[in-house]
């Protein structure tokens, strides 16, 4: 099957169309299916929409926004206007306080909508003080977990592998008037203009991954769209955070309650020496991947769209049982 | 499944190990599983192993080497030392004639080992006149179709999608001493050092595609390795080229006989007005994708590793039948 043949064209066009329906993407936005993960976009974004002397603003809420910021230093003049590092990335800044730090001439304001490792999630989005500054968001780990008002953003980008498909597909939703001014040194594969003009078919795309994303978009629409998906995600997260908060301190979630992620739930034990046992026994009961990221320790339950209620309920029952045995 | 978990580690390590066996890759070479297709490597190669004022040499044997050359103009000083354009890309240059054109100080000499669209293939490889100049080859469309002496090359790179796996995986085989000197503006995802230090796991790799490549490598080893695979490919190509050459000019292959590709067989009809009919009737008999690339016209039969003898025999029988009806 050629990626230019009518069979695959119908697959990628249907995937784009269903994603546009799911997220209610306005006509003035392009949808691109790319490769290389969000990490490639960390470079592509400044390369496409800045010149080397342009100021841009970054809010650092965890590891991913920090990586995005560091990559941007190669291509323009990024400023950190807020960092949660000193509070171990457990907070999202208040938007009023941001206003005084924002650069009037910033080309964009970059956020990571959900920090996969630290479990902090933007529940609303800051508005740049200059209406010419566009909001750019890495939504890799909460893409399609809830409705989003795309019109508030200049660029939304996401690796597919959390909620919508296998790894190896990156989705970029970009306002069309931002396309076409890439820096001269931009690799052709990082130039949004090339991909927009070629409907993501400039070279052979990750066809199988895009096909799988399309199947997931169909399924999300059949579930009733992202309003219904968000209801399920909220309920799953509530069950788990309630179990943590009602454990009399046996379990602890370090993240500020109002910005806890619906996708990634980090927690620790009051007795850290029990954490290894917790992870091992859980794995024995087929609850795997519960160890926290090597950079933060503790545990982390990732409860993406595909995690059923039963999975969360089983974990909560296990947590109560574990506590009863060790309290 | 996390890409850092032991399950996926065993998959990617086995895939690398089997590929090393298949191509007899020396220890002093790194094997990287990347994303973005050969087109991403068109930028990554000069970004990693040149400085902006370095001379590099390109041999242009078709569309793909021409694209690689054009991308390199952004990052260093590439020279075209031979081009087959005036002869419609039907030849490979004689290596003696190349010697006078090569730049003594070129950092690398770049070739496309098999031009997918034009059907010309290097049967042997040129030796740079300066031993410090490394040979770099895009092997996207003949990777793992035959044995290759890896030690002759500084870098071999290939999109997986022709012979070894689904689209979305790019394999780079690079001599380790070439790694670590990327230009400052290199996007982190194009920096070989990052990928080599992280065993291709710096960010989430295209896991499913790598898994599939691993299964194909196992299969190629079970077939007896690349010596046996090449025998099959030679026999398949021979059947098809013989049918063309013995058609009394009804079918024509424009490529010089000694450099005809074992993978991509372009041919035309003496009566071009019949080509549409040829392609349509063939498609009706389930022989699809026979139309030549839009840039060259005519027909093209791609007979990659996965094409069985029976497929080539069916096409040849159809060609004879079509000729009998129209001669």
């Amino acid at each position: 099957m050629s990626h230019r043949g009518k069979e695959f064209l119908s697959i990628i066009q249907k995937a784009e169309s269903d994603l546009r329906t799911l997220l209610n993407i306005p006509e003035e936005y392009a949808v691109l299916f790319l490769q290389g993960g969000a990490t490639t976009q960390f470079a592509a974004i400044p390369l496409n929409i800045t010149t080397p002397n342009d100021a841009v603003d970054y809010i650092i809420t965890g590891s991913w926004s920090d990586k995005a910021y560091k990559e941007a230093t190669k291509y323009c003049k990024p400023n950190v206007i807020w960092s949660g590092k000193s509070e171990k990335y457990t907070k999202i800044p208040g938007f009023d306080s941001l206003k005084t730090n924002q650069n009037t001439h910033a080309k964009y304001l970059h956020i990571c909508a959900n920090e996969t490792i630290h479990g902090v999630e933007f529940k609303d989005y800051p508005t740049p003080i200059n209406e010419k500054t566009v909001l750019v968001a890495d939504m890799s780990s909460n893409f399609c977990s809830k409705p989003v008002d795309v019109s508030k953003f200049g660029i939304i980008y996401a690796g597919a592998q959390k909620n919508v498909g296998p790894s190896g597909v990156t989705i970029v939703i970009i306002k069309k008037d931002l396309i076409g001014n890439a820096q001269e040194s931009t690799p052709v594969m990082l130039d949004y203009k090339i991909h927009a003009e070629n409907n993501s078919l400039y070279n052979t795309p990750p066809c199988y991954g895009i096909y799988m994303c399309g199947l997931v978009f169909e399924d999300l629409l059949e579930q009733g769209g992202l309003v219904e998906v968000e209801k399920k995600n909220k309920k799953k997260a509530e069950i788990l955070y309630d179990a943590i908060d009602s454990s009399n301190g046996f379990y602890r979630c370090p993240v500020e309650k109002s910005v806890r992620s619906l996708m990634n739930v980090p927690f620790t034990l009051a007795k850290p020496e029990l954490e290894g046992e917790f992870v091992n026994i859980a794995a024995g009961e087929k609850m795997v991947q519960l160890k926290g990221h090597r950079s933060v320790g503790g545990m982390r339950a990732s409860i993406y769209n595909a995690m059923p209620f039963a999975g969360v309920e089983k974990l909560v029952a296990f947590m109560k049982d574990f506590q009863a045995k060790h309290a």
Side-chain angles (χ1 to χ4, degrees), chain A:
Chain A
M1 191 188 290
S2 162
H3 66 280
R4 295 187 199 282
K6 63 181 190 304
E7 296 85 358
F8 184 70
L9 284 185
S10 75
I11 288 171
I12 192 169
Q13 286 165 356
K14 174 76 158 51
E16 177 178 336
S17 169
D18 282 351
L19 180 60
R20 284 184 177 276
T21 305
L22 267 176
L23 280 168
N24 197 18
I25 300 173
E27 185 53 43
E28 59 265 33
Y29 286 74
V31 174
L32 309 176
F33 292 93
L34 307 178
Q35 298 185 57
T39 305
T40 300
Q41 301 312 311
F42 295 168
I45 288 161
L47 279 168
N48 275 271
I49 67 172
T50 74
T51 59
N53 287 319
D54 282 340
V56 298
D57 288 349
Y58 278 76
I59 297 174
I60 313 294
T61 51
S63 300
W64 289 107
S65 41
D66 188 49
K67 284 190 174 184
Y69 160 72
K70 282 174 179 150
E71 185 76 345
T73 61
K74 296 176 185 168
Y75 310 109
C76 59
K77 304 273 183 264
N79 308 288
V80 174
I81 63 164
W82 187 89
S83 170
K85 189 175 184 184
S86 64
E87 296 176 284
K88 295 188 176 174
Y89 297 128
T90 54
K91 292 184 177 168
I92 296 288
F95 297 160
D96 280 344
S97 69
L98 284 179
K99 284 182 185 166
T100 51
N101 295 337
Q102 285 186 44
N103 289 284
T104 323
H105 299 295
K107 274 288 175 80
Y108 63 80
L109 170 59
H110 182 281
I111 64 168
C112 178
N114 183 69
E115 288 280 357
T116 321
I117 293 171
H118 297 91
V120 290
E121 182 173 16
F122 282 81
K123 303 300 177 180
D124 193 4
Y125 304 100
T127 306
I129 50 170
N130 182 337
E131 64 178 18
K132 287 184 180 168
T133 303
V134 297
L135 186 60
V136 174
D138 177 358
M139 294 196 180
S140 291
S141 55
N142 67 351
F143 190 64
C144 287
S145 70
K146 60 184 179 182
V148 168
D149 181 356
V150 173
S151 71
K152 284 190 173 176
F153 297 84
I155 302 175
I156 290 171
Y157 65 104
Q161 67 270 17
K162 303 304 187 187
N163 276 328
V164 300
S167 60
V169 179
T170 314
I171 293 167
V172 173
I173 301 168
I174 178 169
K175 204 149 183 277
K176 290 176 184 169
D177 62 12
L178 294 172
I179 296 173
N181 300 299
Q183 294 183 25
E184 279 182 22
S185 66
T186 306
V188 65
M189 283 297 287
L190 272 64
D191 188 341
Y192 295 139
K193 182 163 183 274
I194 296 288
H195 296 295
E197 286 177 349
N198 290 278
N199 299 310
S200 305
L201 301 171
Y202 175 71
N203 71 342
T204 314
C207 298
Y208 179 78
I210 293 170
Y211 165 70
M212 292 293 289
C213 288
L215 295 183
V216 172
F217 297 150
E218 278 181 21
D219 177 69
L220 296 177
L221 286 170
E222 279 168 20
Q223 289 185 44
L226 298 183
V227 170
E228 295 305 312
V229 169
E230 182 183 31
K231 281 182 194 166
K232 292 177 192 172
N233 285 327
K234 277 187 170 168
K235 196 171 160 196
K236 284 188 298 183
E238 195 178 276
I239 295 169
L240 189 44
Y241 285 118
D242 277 356
I244 293 165
D245 292 339
S246 64
S247 71
N248 294 317
F250 187 82
Y251 300 105
R252 293 171 183 182
C253 171
V255 179
E256 194 172 85
K257 282 192 179 180
S258 63
V259 295
R260 285 175 172 178
S261 168
L262 297 190
M263 299 282 103
N264 310 99
V265 181
F267 59 99
T268 57
L269 288 178
K271 300 174 185 166
E273 66 274 17
L274 293 177
E275 289 176 356
E277 187 183 340
F278 180 95
V279 169
N280 289 337
I281 300 179
E285 299 190 16
K286 302 199 173 175
M287 288 175 285
V288 296
Q289 308 289 351
L290 278 168
K291 194 172 175 183
H293 190 272
R294 57 209 158 111
S295 64
V296 295
M299 275 78 67
R300 178 176 47 149
S302 287
I303 50 174
Y304 297 116
N305 284 355
M307 173 62 69
F309 284 113
V312 178
E313 283 161 353
K314 181 175 173 177
L315 174 60
V316 166
F318 172 79
M319 287 167 70
K320 288 182 177 164
D321 185 55
F322 186 88
Q323 180 174 0
K325 286 178 181 150
H326 293 88

